[in-house]
Amino acid sequence: MGVLGRDESLRQLREAAVAAQDGRGGLFVVRADPGLGLSALLDAHLDEMRSAGVPTRRIVVLAPHGRTALSEGAPEWPERGVVVIDDLHRADDATLLALHALADELSEKPLLVVAGRHPGAVPARFARLDRIAVVHDLAPLDDGAARALLTELTGSEPPQSSLQLAAGNPWLLSRLSADDRAVEVTAWATELAGADSPLLRYAALLAEPASVEDLAAVLDSTPVDVLTGVERLTALGLVDAVEGAVRLRHPVVRHDLASTSAGLRSTAAKALIDRNAPAATIAEHLVHSPVSAWTTAWLSEHADQVSPAPTPAMLHLLERTVASLVPGAPEMLPLRAALAEAQLWSGRSEQARRTATATLAARPEPPIRHRLRATLALSHIFAMDPENAAQALDPEREHGELPPRLAVIDATARLLTGDLTGVERALEIAEPHAAHDPVVALYLLNIHATGRLVFRDLSGALELLDQADALLEVAAADRGQWMMTTLLRAVVQDLRQDGAALETLERARPVAGELGAGMRVWLHTITALALFNNGRWDESLAEVEAATALPDLHSFDGPLHGIAVTILLYRGDLPAARVHAELAKRAKPRGIALFYEQITAVVHALIADLEGDSQRALEVVRTLAAGQVGVHDGHAVATISPLLVRIAVDGGDRELAEQLVAQLQELISGDSVGERVALMYCRGLLDGDVEVLLDAAQQFAENGAAVAAARAAEDAAKALAASGAAADARSAYLTAVERYAALTATGEIQRADAELRAFGVRRGATGPRRRPKHGWDSLTTAELRVAELVAQGLTNREAAERLIVSVRTVDSHVSRILAKLGYSSRVEIVLGFDRRT
């Protein structure tokens, strides 16, 4: 192994050697943790000195007693040169005494003595020596040197994750690709740890970081003894200890020690049970051990704690345990019910459905049967199929009134189908039980929050969602309802033009990926809409692309393609918009997608308006105003009223425009800035009031509604031009164009140019800035994010998992990035990312 990244250390040694040749010798101590390449550094220094003609000598520390050439007293030293002693921490006391005696004499000799040792090995023995020597501490390699070392060893560019595994330790870096790495790393670490190796192994097995109390429990020791051992391991550079918690310093050592110490996991599990550790922690250990009667008994007792938030280990443990049971075993049906729930909450809805259906065939008792029915219904809801969710509960109705927990699931399913009568019936069953069952209360809060959202009581909806969050935190563990609460909050925030909606959605993204494709496509839809409303159109289109790459869109085809149509129309790409519009038209909305049906309807109005077919556009607007679209009962008008009123005014139907403004006035609750400004804008359009339009444009801009701000400024320009105020019209017009240009809404600019030209208003030479076709500035936001992940060393599959998109989508992004940058390989992306301007 070379000495990459040690230029500064070699320079200091070289300067000390030069000083010695001038008669100013001395003792130079290099301290380094195991594996940092101390011996390689000292060898490199000796080679450099020999090449320069300097006499050299290496003193060996002999095992097992640490004897050296200094053990019998100071030998005959050369008149000048460099003497190196490696592994000084293993040397006997006589050697150290001899070095102490020699140190004072060296300052007047042309001789340099270099001693290397581990810093944590009984530091008190070396305290005086360190005071009289020049001491240099060898640090771990930085990322650049570590990357260069791995490239030299493997012949290829290493991913960032490999660098993190070894934390800059050269020896560990050199073993990363070894076939027998786990064995070698374990032997290295346990040899260093010596008598503390059991402590080190358990620290690797327990949750990171491991508490001193847990370590004492599994070792059947005392916390004081554990702390003493931890101090020794810390001195060896193997662990770090902070505030009573122990963490292995190198991830690769933790991983490999854990993989070679699986036999200790049963002991760890039983000791942690006595400590009342969380069930999830116990399951992480039991999954590596053979299934026993003891394991089955423990899992049966704790299955209800394990199934609502299962880790992969928990799910695997349940599967193995169920498979080990003989037919008729008393634990069989309860554990199968827990398995179905764990599969559901792991995003394996189909498996959960099969497990629940098969278990129901065994005619379990009501408590188990109710859990299985709930799993079946929820699996359909997660697949955005609320009709079948409600039907899955029908067999239970044969036994009488639905139990409260099934009733709230039924209410949720019927709400998503728009069956408000069915919702009311289910709520009558459930609501009396809310005070005694936090899960029932949680469902009811989300159902009522949805109702308030639909009827535009946004503050009321947020108040209920806050209560739901409080229940989730202290009383009810339900990942599905957490997801519902979080997504509803994001929708409310977006309606209020609150930029925090995007942060809320990012928190939901990992859980949506775990719950299945249905939740993922809903999340993509909400995110695409929020990004569109915030003027981040490239990212919005990326969300649409990610969603449409999924194998099943769960009836969200309409809103997803509708969002794409709107952006493409604004950007002037009518052919592409028509393609998406046709795809949206073919969609058959159901379930949650019904709440977004107005998006599909309004894009057909936009296309008709753009094509000059005002009658067709007005007909769509009348349909929306009459509440004949979706399940909103006319309330969807509040979110799209500016578009609808604009089409009505431009189409000459003032009565329709007045109807829409009256509806909006009735619908808004006053707690949404966006809706208040929308009402102001609509009134300005209806009355041709320039001051109101300009005020609305400014407020839209301040609240992040970029498109509406541009539209309002454009409409103010038209009103000013119509009144003969050409200079003011041109000023408002340029403001609108500037805002359109920031969105690359070239289609809107071209349309506005044509309409304002009819009033004799022109922009002159001013025009929108276009995105360059090549170079880093040509990349879209989505492409730049993919380039960043590639630069971090992620594969396309890893980047897809990080972004929760398909691998095919990332492949396409990488191909476009290479083409725009003129690169031929991913390596060029990595190198170019940090150098980009």
Side-chain angles (χ1 to χ4, degrees):
M1 188 188 306
V3 286
L4 289 168
R6 300 304 187 196
D7 292 348
E8 174 60 20
S9 299
L10 286 170
R11 182 191 66 77
Q12 291 190 33
L13 286 168
R14 187 183 309 117
E15 289 181 354
V18 170
Q21 300 309 297
D22 291 338
R24 293 177 285 114
L27 177 62
F28 194 106
V29 174
V30 183
R31 300 185 301 199
D33 285 335
L36 289 186
L38 175 57
S39 296
L41 174 72
L42 298 179
D43 287 343
H45 177 58
L46 284 175
D47 289 343
E48 189 177 80
M49 293 299 100
R50 292 190 195 103
S51 297
V54 177
T56 62
R57 180 178 179 182
R58 188 183 186 100
I59 295 180
V60 179
V61 179
L62 300 173
H65 302 297
R67 293 183 61 78
T68 71
L70 297 174
S71 297
E72 301 298 331
E76 289 295 324
W77 291 97
E79 287 298 320
R80 68 183 187 89
V82 174
V83 176
V84 166
I85 309 171
D86 198 0
D87 293 329
L88 185 63
H89 51 279
R90 296 177 178 168
D92 59 11
D93 291 342
T95 298
L96 298 186
L97 290 172
L99 279 177
H100 286 140
L102 287 167
D104 293 336
E105 303 174 13
L106 292 175
S107 62
E108 298 177 356
K109 291 186 176 183
L111 184 66
L112 175 68
V113 177
V114 180
R117 70 176 180 86
H118 295 167
V122 196
R125 291 185 70 213
F126 302 93
R128 183 173 181 276
L129 204 62
D130 286 350
R131 288 197 298 270
I132 61 178
V134 174
V135 177
H136 174 69
D137 288 314
L138 205 59
L141 296 179
D142 61 28
D143 276 0
R147 186 180 296 278
L149 176 58
L150 278 179
T151 302
E152 179 181 291
L153 291 169
T154 63
S156 61
E157 184 79 6
Q160 183 68 26
S161 55
S162 294
L163 305 183
Q164 295 167 349
L165 279 174
N169 185 295
W171 187 85
L172 291 173
L173 286 166
S174 73
R175 307 316 304 152
L176 289 182
S177 59
D179 294 336
D180 55 351
R181 187 192 83 186
V183 174
E184 289 193 33
V185 170
T186 297
W188 176 81
T190 53
E191 182 181 355
L192 285 171
D196 293 315
S197 60
L199 170 59
L200 186 66
R201 285 181 182 272
Y202 277 118
L205 286 175
L206 298 184
E208 188 179 29
S211 72
V212 169
E213 291 78 9
D214 284 349
L215 287 167
V218 298
L219 288 163
D220 193 20
S221 182
T222 66
V224 171
D225 288 340
V226 168
L227 281 171
T228 303
V230 167
E231 288 178 2
R232 290 191 292 265
L233 293 175
T234 301
L236 291 168
L238 291 172
V239 304
D240 292 315
V242 180
E243 297 180 352
V246 182
R247 182 193 306 272
L248 270 72
R249 185 170 296 178
H250 307 96
V252 67
V253 176
R254 181 176 189 269
H255 177 275
D256 290 350
L257 274 174
S259 70
T260 57
S261 305
L264 300 176
R265 287 192 179 273
S266 291
T267 302
K270 292 177 181 178
L272 292 174
I273 286 173
D274 293 337
R275 291 260 305 145
N276 294 318
T281 302
I282 308 301
E284 292 291 334
H285 294 290
L286 292 180
V287 74
H288 298 280
S289 305
V291 175
S292 64
W294 182 87
T295 303
T296 303
W298 178 86
L299 191 55
S300 296
E301 184 180 349
H302 295 86
D304 289 348
Q305 301 172 39
V306 168
S307 58
T311 63
M314 294 177 197
L315 182 59
H316 188 44
L317 179 61
L318 276 167
E319 289 171 339
R320 289 176 56 222
T321 304
V322 167
S324 73
L325 295 174
V326 297
E331 302 92 350
M332 175 67 83
L333 296 181
L335 285 181
R336 284 186 66 88
L339 174 59
E341 290 167 346
Q343 290 169 332
L344 175 71
W345 299 121
S346 298
R348 303 180 184 183
S349 293
E350 286 293 333
Q351 285 181 303
R353 204 172 300 155
R354 288 196 297 269
T355 301
T357 301
T359 309
L360 282 166
R363 300 183 181 278
E365 292 299 311
I368 300 299
R369 192 179 72 229
H370 296 164
R371 289 172 60 187
L372 293 166
R373 290 286 175 205
T375 298
L376 273 178
L378 289 171
S379 71
H380 287 295
I381 288 177
F382 291 169
M384 301 297 144
D385 184 8
E387 295 91 348
N388 279 323
Q391 290 175 18
L393 299 175
D394 285 344
E396 201 59 40
R397 301 180 213 278
E398 298 174 4
H399 298 279
E401 189 176 81
L402 290 177
R405 290 197 179 188
L406 293 187
V408 287
I409 295 174
D410 186 40
T412 302
R414 294 186 183 280
L415 176 64
L416 298 180
T417 62
D419 177 8
L420 300 184
T421 302
V423 172
E424 290 178 5
R425 286 198 304 268
L427 292 183
E428 287 175 2
I429 298 171
E431 284 181 327
H433 301 272
H436 310 291
D437 189 333
V439 173
V440 171
L442 178 60
Y443 272 82
L444 291 174
L445 286 168
N446 279 329
I447 290 168
H448 290 310
T450 303
R452 293 199 182 184
L453 190 161
V454 168
F455 288 96
R456 286 308 186 269
D457 179 5
L458 302 184
S459 292
L462 281 178
E463 182 180 339
L464 294 175
L465 294 173
D466 287 341
Q467 294 177 37
D469 277 338
L471 271 181
L472 284 163
E473 185 174 344
V474 301
D478 190 307
R479 287 155 64 79
Q481 288 304 294
W482 180 90
M483 190 70 186
M484 187 70 71
T485 302
T486 305
L487 292 182
L488 288 173
R489 182 178 296 279
V491 172
V492 173
Q493 289 171 328
D494 190 37
L495 288 173
R496 292 165 64 104
Q497 292 187 357
D498 183 348
L502 292 170
E503 298 174 11
T504 302
L505 289 165
E506 282 306 306
R507 289 200 306 273
R509 194 177 291 269
V511 180
E514 294 169 5
L515 292 183
M519 283 294 179
R520 286 175 61 186
V521 73
W522 187 19
L523 176 80
H524 282 307
T525 303
I526 299 173
T527 306
L529 194 56
L531 288 165
F532 169 77
N533 290 335
N534 280 273
R536 293 161 62 173
W537 290 357
D538 286 331
E539 293 170 83
S540 180
L541 288 173
E543 290 289 332
V544 172
E545 183 180 1
T548 53
L550 294 171
D552 186 350
L553 292 183
H554 298 281
S555 296
F556 280 89
D557 317 43
L560 284 164
H561 289 296
I563 294 166
V565 169
T566 307
I567 295 173
L568 291 167
L569 285 178
Y570 287 169
R571 287 185 167 174
D573 191 348
L574 186 57
R578 285 193 177 114
V579 171
H580 280 279
E582 184 59 34
L583 292 170
K585 190 175 182 180
R586 295 177 194 169
K588 296 180 180 179
R590 57 182 172 81
I592 297 176
L594 288 167
F595 288 80
Y596 297 88
E597 196 175 358
Q598 77 279 3
I599 295 175
T600 310
V602 82
V603 297
H604 294 303
L606 287 173
I607 289 178
D609 186 54
L610 190 64
E611 292 174 340
D613 190 345
S614 60
Q615 290 308 308
R616 180 158 56 96
L618 288 171
E619 190 58 39
V620 175
V621 173
R622 292 188 188 104
T623 303
L624 285 160
Q628 298 173 4
V629 177
V631 295
H632 291 66
D633 193 26
H635 288 76
V637 169
T639 58
I640 53 176
S641 54
L643 281 174
L644 302 185
V645 172
R646 200 171 198 258
I647 291 173
V649 170
D650 289 347
D653 193 335
R654 182 176 180 83
E655 182 179 350
L656 177 59
E658 289 175 344
Q659 176 190 343
L660 289 165
V661 172
Q663 280 182 272
L664 180 59
Q665 174 68 60
E666 183 180 345
L667 292 172
I668 66 172
S669 61
D671 64 351
S672 168
V673 174
E675 289 181 352
R676 291 201 305 271
V677 181
L679 178 60
M680 177 194 302
Y681 170 59
C682 290
R683 284 174 173 163
L685 273 176
L686 192 60
D687 300 335
D689 190 322
V690 171
E691 294 301 322
V692 171
L693 289 171
L694 289 173
D695 191 10
Q698 182 61 32
Q699 290 195 48
F700 275 136
E702 290 173 356
N703 287 285
V707 179
R711 278 269 170 95
E714 179 193 341
D715 289 326
K718 291 178 188 175
L720 286 164
S723 68
D728 291 339
R730 186 171 186 275
S731 176
Y733 177 33
L734 291 176
T735 297
V737 169
E738 181 180 347
R739 289 170 178 161
Y740 283 137
L743 297 165
T744 62
T746 53
E748 291 298 279
I749 293 172
Q750 292 165 2
R751 180 191 51 72
D753 280 344
E755 292 187 12
L756 268 296
R757 196 177 299 119
F759 291 96
V761 178
R762 290 176 170 78
R763 289 186 287 127
T766 304
R769 293 174 294 175
R770 297 179 180 272
R771 188 190 300 278
K773 294 182 178 180
H774 303 288
W776 285 98
D777 289 339
S778 70
L779 301 189
T780 66
T781 303
E783 289 165 352
L784 189 61
R785 177 60 176 145
V786 170
E788 180 183 10
L789 295 178
V790 170
Q792 291 175 7
L794 274 66
T795 65
N796 285 8
R797 180 169 297 279
E798 291 169 335
E801 291 173 355
R802 180 78 61 84
L803 298 171
I804 313 184
V805 299
S806 68
V807 177
R808 185 180 66 183
T809 298
V810 175
D811 291 341
S812 299
H813 281 316
V814 171
S815 297
R816 288 195 292 270
I817 291 167
L818 293 172
K820 289 182 178 181
L821 299 179
Y823 291 165
S824 59
S825 71
R826 296 166 61 86
V827 174
E828 291 179 277
I829 296 177
V830 175
L831 297 175
F833 187 81
D834 289 335
R835 297 197 301 263
R836 71 192 190 284
T837 56

